[in-house]
């Protein structure tokens, strides 16, 4: 993980070096979310705003899953190091680049309906600008936390949720002190403030069901692709630090898979 981080550009230069990518709708669709949305349009209202019932909950109901036996309850400590041969390193780096490019392309159209995207931008085939305050090609907290998880893997030779929680606390403390916010959402900011105030992540008094866990597990999925149970456990653990709702955890596990 440390070797890969050494070959990925510093965060300050990532936005300037991402290549333009011609992406078809098939490559940027969220297949699971789109399928559920098409099957259950009543779960959304207005401008793509979810109602009280989250899409993954609907999927669980369809599949007849009523318990949480799918969710790991234990995070393995100090597993055997993953051999980072050239192929694995290339796959991890490719995952980081791909996620960053998708983040930079998709950020300006986040929360837009398909009709709104077509009206404002036509077909999105490169970086677009949503507002004068956000230059084209700028990444968000998705890329920031993807790299943060990889740093955690490098530091602890596995995934340690306490180390990751400390990283989030330090980041949010810096933002509150005036540092630039890479786009971290209100749920993670709220969790981070409690973490740097001394609250243990296991005792956070809320259970967010949004995508904060899913956005940051790409490197876990690639690094532990040959160890699916470990990938599953680490993805779940990384989500639980800030997003402990079953929907959020399931989304993280699915994204890592």
């Amino acid at each position: 993980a440390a070797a890969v981080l050494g070959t990925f550009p510093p965060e300050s230069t990532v936005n300037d070096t991402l290549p333009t990518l011609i992406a078809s709708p098939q490559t940027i669709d969220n297949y699971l979310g789109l399928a559920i949305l098409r099957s259950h349009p009543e779960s959304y209202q207005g401008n793509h705003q979810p109602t009280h019932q989250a899409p993954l909950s609907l999927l669980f109901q369809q599949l007849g899953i009523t318990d949480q036996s799918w969710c790991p309850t234990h995070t393995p400590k100090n597993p055997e190091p993953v051999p980072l041969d050239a192929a694995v390193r290339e796959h991890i780096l490719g995952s980081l680049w791909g996620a960053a490019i998708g983040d930079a392309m998709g950020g300006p159209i986040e929360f837009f309906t398909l009709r709104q995207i077509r009206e404002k931008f036509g077909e999105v085939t490169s970086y677009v600008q949503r507002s004068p305050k956000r230059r084209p090609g700028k990444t968000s907290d998705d890329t920031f936390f993807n790299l943060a998880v990889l740093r955690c893997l490098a530091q602890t030779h596995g995934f340690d949720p306490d180390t990751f929680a400390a990283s989030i606390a330090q980041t949010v403390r810096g933002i509150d002190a005036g540092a630039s916010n890479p786009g971290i959402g209100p749920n993670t900011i709220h969790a981070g403030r409690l973490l740097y105030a001394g609250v243990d992540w296991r005792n956070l008094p809320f259970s967010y069901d949004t995508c904060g866990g899913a956005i940051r597990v790409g490197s876990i999925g690639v690094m532990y692709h040959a160890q699916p149970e470990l990938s599953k456990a680490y993805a779940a653990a990384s989500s639980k630090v800030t997003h402990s709702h079953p929907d959020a955890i399931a989304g993280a596990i699915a994204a890592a898979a």
Side-chain angles (χ1 to χ4, degrees):
V4 172
L5 281 170
T7 60
F8 196 74
E11 289 171 44
S12 60
T13 64
V14 166
N15 300 333
D16 299 317
T17 57
L18 290 178
T20 299
L21 177 71
I22 305 301
S24 68
Q26 288 73 27
T27 62
I28 58 178
D29 262 348
N30 180 335
Y31 292 108
L32 178 60
L34 189 60
I36 296 171
L37 178 57
R38 286 172 176 166
S39 301
H40 298 274
E42 72 280 1
S43 69
Y44 284 84
Q45 57 185 356
N47 182 20
H48 221 91
Q49 296 301 314
T51 63
H52 66 281
Q53 193 166 31
L56 278 172
S57 296
L58 294 172
L59 180 63
F60 291 162
Q61 290 175 18
Q62 280 190 312
L63 297 176
I65 299 173
T66 57
D67 60 24
Q68 294 186 35
S69 58
W70 52 269
C71 183
T73 57
H74 173 67
T75 304
K77 295 287 186 180
N78 300 322
E80 289 296 317
V82 176
L84 281 184
D85 57 27
V88 174
R89 290 172 61 178
E90 281 295 303
H91 286 153
I92 296 173
L93 193 57
S95 170
L96 291 171
W97 275 112
I101 292 168
D103 183 19
M105 288 186 68
I109 59 175
E110 187 174 16
F111 304 121
F112 278 24
T113 64
L114 181 58
R115 176 179 295 178
Q116 290 171 328
I117 294 170
R118 286 175 172 168
E119 288 176 350
K120 187 173 180 64
F121 301 111
E123 183 179 359
V124 177
T125 59
S126 61
Y127 304 129
V128 296
Q129 189 167 15
R130 183 169 181 166
S131 71
K133 295 181 179 179
R134 185 184 178 96
R135 64 186 175 85
K138 183 175 176 60
T139 54
S140 72
D141 60 324
D142 294 23
T143 299
F144 179 88
F145 278 121
N146 216 358
L147 290 170
V149 167
L150 189 57
R151 289 193 189 93
C152 183
L153 293 172
Q155 291 172 10
T156 61
H157 304 291
F159 185 84
D160 177 50
D162 293 318
T163 299
F164 187 56
S167 171
I168 292 175
Q170 182 180 13
T171 296
V172 174
R173 183 192 293 272
I175 292 171
D176 284 348
S180 174
N181 184 346
I184 299 172
N187 293 346
T188 302
I189 290 288
H190 185 199
R193 284 172 176 157
L194 291 177
L195 291 172
Y196 80 68
V199 178
D200 190 294
W201 62 269
R202 300 167 186 83
N203 300 323
L204 291 177
F206 42 72
S207 179
Y208 291 132
D209 63 357
T210 47
C211 65
I215 66 171
R216 57 196 185 213
V217 295
S219 53
I220 290 176
V222 175
M223 186 172 291
Y224 296 100
H225 70 282
Q227 300 168 278
E229 289 304 312
L230 202 54
S231 172
K232 183 178 177 181
Y234 285 167
S238 69
S239 180
K240 289 178 183 178
V241 171
T242 56
H243 293 66
S244 58
H245 190 280
D247 285 2
I249 297 170
I253 292 172

